Amino acid sequence: MTSPQTVLITGCSSGMGREAALALHRLGHRVHATARRPESLADLAAQGIATSALDVTDERSMADAVAAVEAEHGHVDVLVNNAAYGLHLPVESATPEEVRAQFDTNVFGLVRMAQLVLPGMRRAGRGRIVNISSMAGRFSPPGGAFYHASKHAVEAISDSLRLEVAPFGVEVVVVQPGPTITGFGATAVGTMHGGPADDRTDPYGAFRRELADMYANRAFTRRGGAVPAETATRVIVRAVTAPRPRARYAIGTLARGTMLAKRLLPDAAFDALMRRSFPLPKAV
């Protein structure tokens, strides 16, 4: 993909979505950066990037955003499904509403966006869907069941979709970041509900505190193995622009190493690795 492309990106208010929008714009592509709160995109608009509201949990919002891009350009050349957040709670502690909200954003919104752009891509005989998954799609640690399950789903959906749409000239690419130095860690901590943990009433209280501390202060740092946002951005740009893209792009040594360990180690050995790497609840 060397000529300018029309690229629609979800979740551009911060992090990798924002950086990818800027990088692709600098390369001359027609970028449409979107977010639930369009005011968070004011600085992108000031640099000449087209911006609009898009909430991946709202059908009308998604349909309107795609229709607006198609009205201007005919079809979306590249969809980057980036909008997501991480719910990090013990399985027993999460409410049904929290679990549904996690899948509404990370899975069902991604699917619906693909469904909305595919008719235009099929008419054009070309297109590319880049799904931002995660190393989380290949393993699941304590406290990460629902976020990691959502990324497992993204991996499975992408595999099926890649085969289904290839005859129409449409490519599907998965990007698998490991920990990246963005605001994701703080967002993850923000999803650990319930206020201050009370060990007298919450059997997971100390675990939640330790998990929040790990995500806030260690996991998303260079010492924790996280890669700079610029590194992740370069890989996303490659996934968007490569003439012959790979099916998957892993980002970072930690991501590649962890996914390799999950594939090669017996379950008992990988569980032992998780116990050494993550806090665990303590029985009293």
Side-chain angles (χ1 to χ4, degrees):
M1 288 190 171
T2 56
S3 59
Q5 304 292 307
T6 300
V7 185
L8 173 60
I9 310 176
T10 66
C12 293
S13 61
S14 63
M16 290 184 291
R18 172 182 292 270
E19 295 302 319
L22 287 166
L24 290 164
H25 173 69
R26 293 186 192 111
L27 290 174
H29 296 286
R30 299 178 292 269
V31 176
H32 289 255
T34 69
R36 284 189 304 113
R37 295 178 294 104
E39 64 272 16
S40 68
L41 306 174
D43 61 322
L44 300 185
Q47 297 187 56
I49 297 175
T51 63
S52 61
L54 197 165
D55 182 347
V56 297
T57 67
D58 182 271
E59 171 68 22
R60 174 59 64 86
S61 175
M62 290 185 284
D64 286 350
V66 172
V69 176
E70 292 184 337
E72 184 174 354
H73 301 292
H75 73 284
V76 176
D77 290 307
V78 183
L79 167 67
V80 180
N81 270 319
N82 173 71
Y85 72 96
L87 176 67
H88 291 82
L89 288 170
V91 171
E92 186 179 350
S93 302
T95 67
E97 292 76 18
E98 287 170 324
V99 177
R100 291 189 189 102
Q102 177 75 121
F103 279 79
D104 278 344
T105 296
N106 291 15
V107 181
F108 305 139
L110 174 146
V111 169
R112 188 59 184 140
M113 287 299 299
Q115 291 173 335
L116 288 166
V117 301
L118 275 167
M121 289 181 175
R122 286 191 291 101
R123 287 193 298 269
R126 68 183 188 278
R128 186 173 298 179
I129 296 172
V130 178
N131 289 331
I132 307 301
S133 179
S134 170
M135 64 185 282
R138 295 306 181 93
F139 75 103
S140 195
F146 302 111
Y147 173 65
H148 287 244
S150 74
K151 294 302 185 178
H152 277 273
V154 169
E155 297 278 333
I157 290 163
S158 299
D159 283 344
S160 294
L161 185 63
R162 184 173 63 254
L163 296 169
E164 292 168 359
V165 299
F168 304 109
V170 179
E171 300 157 318
V172 177
V173 183
V174 171
V175 177
Q176 300 167 308
T180 305
I181 302 172
T182 64
F184 184 86
T187 302
V189 172
T191 64
M192 298 174 186
H193 74 152
D198 185 345
D199 294 351
R200 295 169 299 177
T201 58
D202 183 356
Y204 301 99
F207 167 64
R208 288 199 294 114
R209 282 198 304 272
E210 292 173 14
L211 194 67
D213 177 68
M214 185 191 78
Y215 279 111
N217 300 313
R218 297 191 302 279
F220 293 87
T221 66
R222 287 183 182 272
R223 289 186 62 187
V227 300
E230 295 79 9
T231 301
T233 301
R234 284 196 297 270
V235 177
I236 294 171
V237 169
R238 193 180 313 144
V240 169
T241 60
R244 292 179 173 272
R246 301 201 302 262
R248 281 177 172 78
Y249 292 86
I251 303 177
T253 301
L254 183 59
R256 290 189 290 271
T258 304
M259 291 190 290
L260 179 63
K262 176 59 176 173
R263 188 165 70 246
L264 297 180
L265 291 177
D267 287 342
F270 192 81
D271 283 355
L273 177 63
M274 292 294 98
R275 284 192 290 269
R276 289 196 299 270
S277 303
F278 288 83
L280 289 167
K282 297 175 179 62
V284 294

